Amino acid sequence: MIDAAPILALDNVTKVFGHGDKQVVAARSISFGLHAGRTLALVGESGSGKTTAARLIMREYHPDEGRLLFRGQPMGKADAKGLRAYRTSVQMVFQDPFSSLNPARSIRHHLERPLRLHQRDLDSAQRKAKIEELLRLVRLDPEQVVAKFPHELSGGQRQRISIARALAVNPQVIVADEPTSMLDVSVRLGILNLLNEMKKELGVALLYITHDIATARYVAEDIMVMYAGQIVEWGAMDSVLDDPQHPYTRLLLSAVPDPDRRFDDTRFDIELSRIDHIRRQAALPQPDVQQVGDNHFIRPMPD
Amino acid sequence: MTQPVLSVRNLTIDYVGAEKDFTAVKDVSFDVAPGEFFGLAGESGCGKSTIAFAISRLHRAPALIRSGSQILVAGRNVLDLGDEELRDFRWREVAMVFQSAMNSLNPVLTIESQFYDVLKTHAGLNRKQSRERAAELLKLVDISPDRLTAYPHQCSGGMRQRIVIAICLALNPKLLIMDEPTTALDVVVQREILQRINVLRKELGFSVLFITHDLGLMVQVSDRIGIMLEGELVEANAAEEIYRHPQHPYTRKLWASMPRLHGAQIAAEATP
């Protein structure tokens, strides 16, 4: 179990978009904490509210209800200065390695900028040394890549640059939003290994957002399953994956491509025969929380 | 043995460049049997989509199919067909589902008109006949016939992809080519669609050539699988065999770099 206080936490946060009868609840009473040296995976379909959760943490959105706690301190609406201080500690890696780097700027520029902004006491020689150190950390050869432009690098290399850029400020928390979904299988593993090393060696707290549950299992100790703005099931990774309790989690897992389970496998037939029912019911507010295992919780779905 | 629906022999395709040519497909041969679900897997740039386009002769310059290549559909070499024969061949013998469900329907026509377009041209049906046939086809993919009057933007991504599949099945093709048909969709929707295809191909008896980079999914649905690496077909075998007993080192490395959902996790070093 985790006893230390989380570095960063969402406490009962709700975020609503739209007005009147066209309201969309993108986050409904979500609570979770990120701990140093641990990874929490947030999985769900597109439109389930995963990215809203990431933006709430990055303070791009302000919660309509509930609080964002950083080292136990509630964070209010941020001004520019407050945001900059906050981003020295909390950084993000984006999904698309092709659009998250500026095509007109060299790799050196991409890594120098966070250093200039967030570590102002460094002189240019120290910055140069730091850039090389960062590139080595993400397993790239500084001499080869530092003068290059993003289009000269592969997708995997670019994603490594994104990670190096996030690490440049010595963050305590990194939010990675689908960092491997646009990469090939063989490149994906390298990025996942890098995230694991970051967590172990630098003690970073990681929120790993994905729709690919198999990669979530590879990097994270804990998992949360999100649907229609709610976290419907959460807990220790293997407890949730091997014994899913919420009907939506069971549906999601039944649909995840698993080479060990052929299409004629009947284990999840009940879920697959009532997809529409589960979707409808799981979208309703489910305020109760039920503990189903040591570190395993669900919000029971109304029938 | 029965004649294969599709038989690709020594297929070589080059992308012709100003200074030198790039060989995207190198001497590839494989067969797809009647009613078979054949998966073609590989990473981006390995040539799998180039093959799919070449089979229905949809490849465009600078792609060039080298002489000596043969693509036989029901015994006929597709590469020898004239323009008229080719028109007749597409849809009727081989139909293709493309990756982006969003873009393969015409946004300013109703679903009904898009069915009519195919059914009039290829089967000579009138409006009324076409409407009836379209309603039947939509039922096959679990869509209510009152959707016929809808426009594509009024349907979800999964629904649009199912409509495309229904149009593809309109002329009872022998072979359905699906190039990453569900990549842009959520897993639950993906599962629904592929499960439906799997049932339909057993009922209607067509073969499927399924192209994807998702190896887990491929093992789940396919009868046989071909693995491609840099334009070459490095291994082809029954799905279970290729998963349990991969022969080629590249195939082994692919499995080794796929994180597992249950049981023992893969080792961190196994990067191909």
Side-chain angles (χ1 to χ4, degrees), chain B:
Chain B
M1 207 189 124
T2 48
Q3 189 187 33
V5 168
L6 171 71
S7 178
V8 173
R9 286 283 166 275
N10 311 103
L11 181 64
T12 299
I13 303 174
D14 286 346
Y15 284 98
V16 179
E19 278 150 31
K20 69 180 194 231
D21 300 348
F22 176 77
T23 309
V25 178
K26 289 174 203 155
D27 199 22
V28 167
S29 302
F30 64 92
D31 287 340
V32 180
E36 186 175 51
F37 207 118
F38 186 85
L40 202 54
E43 300 186 79
S44 38
C46 72
K48 53 193 194 302
S49 292
T50 306
I51 293 182
F53 278 87
I55 291 170
S56 36
R57 290 258 305 267
L58 285 168
H59 65 288
R60 290 267 172 86
L64 180 71
I65 300 180
R66 291 294 176 188
S67 55
S69 307
Q70 276 191 321
I71 298 170
L72 303 168
V73 172
R76 227 165 24 140
N77 192 351
V78 179
L79 302 177
D80 295 338
L81 297 179
D83 287 354
E84 268 308 304
E85 288 169 306
L86 196 59
R87 267 170 68 82
D88 206 43
F89 160 84
R90 288 181 185 150
W91 294 103
R92 190 177 292 282
E93 301 202 26
V94 174
M96 187 156 169
V97 180
F98 299 92
Q99 177 169 2
S100 56
M102 316 297 160
N103 306 333
S104 42
L105 290 171
N106 187 331
V108 297
L109 294 181
T110 60
I111 304 303
E112 188 185 328
S113 321
Q114 318 215 14
F115 273 99
Y116 180 58
D117 192 26
V118 175
L119 290 168
K120 187 184 119 190
T121 320
H122 291 273
L125 300 190
N126 63 29
R127 281 265 174 200
K128 185 166 171 292
Q129 290 167 322
S130 145
R131 195 174 307 134
E132 281 164 16
R133 176 82 177 120
E136 270 172 44
L137 289 162
L138 282 189
K139 273 187 223 149
L140 282 185
V141 291
D142 296 323
I143 293 179
S144 149
D146 36 291
R147 283 280 169 175
L148 276 174
T149 51
Y151 287 89
H153 74 269
Q154 293 168 310
C155 305
S156 68
M159 219 180 254
R160 271 181 263 180
Q161 196 63 299
R162 274 184 285 171
I163 291 168
V164 172
I165 291 167
I167 297 176
C168 281
L169 297 179
L171 300 167
N172 296 320
K174 297 187 185 84
L175 174 68
L176 183 63
I177 301 176
M178 300 199 293
D179 186 6
E180 306 262 8
T182 51
T183 306
L185 304 173
D186 279 315
V187 282
V188 178
V189 180
Q190 164 174 292
R191 173 79 190 205
E192 281 180 285
I193 292 181
L194 289 176
Q195 201 142 6
R196 196 69 210 145
I197 295 265
N198 196 28
V199 171
L200 285 175
R201 63 125 178 176
K202 284 176 183 156
E203 278 174 20
L204 306 175
F206 59 86
S207 311
V208 181
L209 176 63
F210 180 53
I211 292 174
T212 185
H213 66 275
D214 189 333
L215 299 156
L217 180 67
M218 180 137 282
V219 174
Q220 273 189 307
V221 294
S222 307
D223 299 325
R224 281 198 313 133
I225 292 179
I227 304 279
M228 291 200 56
L229 169 66
E230 291 168 7
E232 284 176 77
L233 189 68
V234 293
E235 186 170 359
N237 210 338
E240 279 290 295
E241 276 300 298
I242 227 163
Y243 177 55
R244 305 274 171 215
H245 312 287
Q247 301 297 318
H248 195 277
Y250 177 68
T251 318
R252 276 189 221 135
K253 279 181 185 162
L254 277 180
W255 296 137
S257 59
M258 251 179 64
R260 293 292 147 88
L261 270 174
H262 302 283
Q265 191 54 272
I266 52 166
E269 305 84 55
T271 320

Side-chain angles (χ1 to χ4, degrees), chain A residues 13-32:
Chain A
V13 168
T14 298
K15 179 75 192 168
V16 182
F17 294 109
H19 302 279
D21 56 352
K22 288 203 170 154
Q23 281 194 343
V24 175
V25 186
R28 193 193 292 277
S29 317
I30 59 176
S31 303
F32 60 82

Side-chain angles (χ1 to χ4, degrees), chain A residues 106-108 142-149 152:
Chain A
S106 68
I107 300 309
R108 180 183 290 113
E143 273 179 35
Q144 272 187 12
V145 299
V146 81
K148 283 192 173 165
F149 286 86
E152 296 174 280

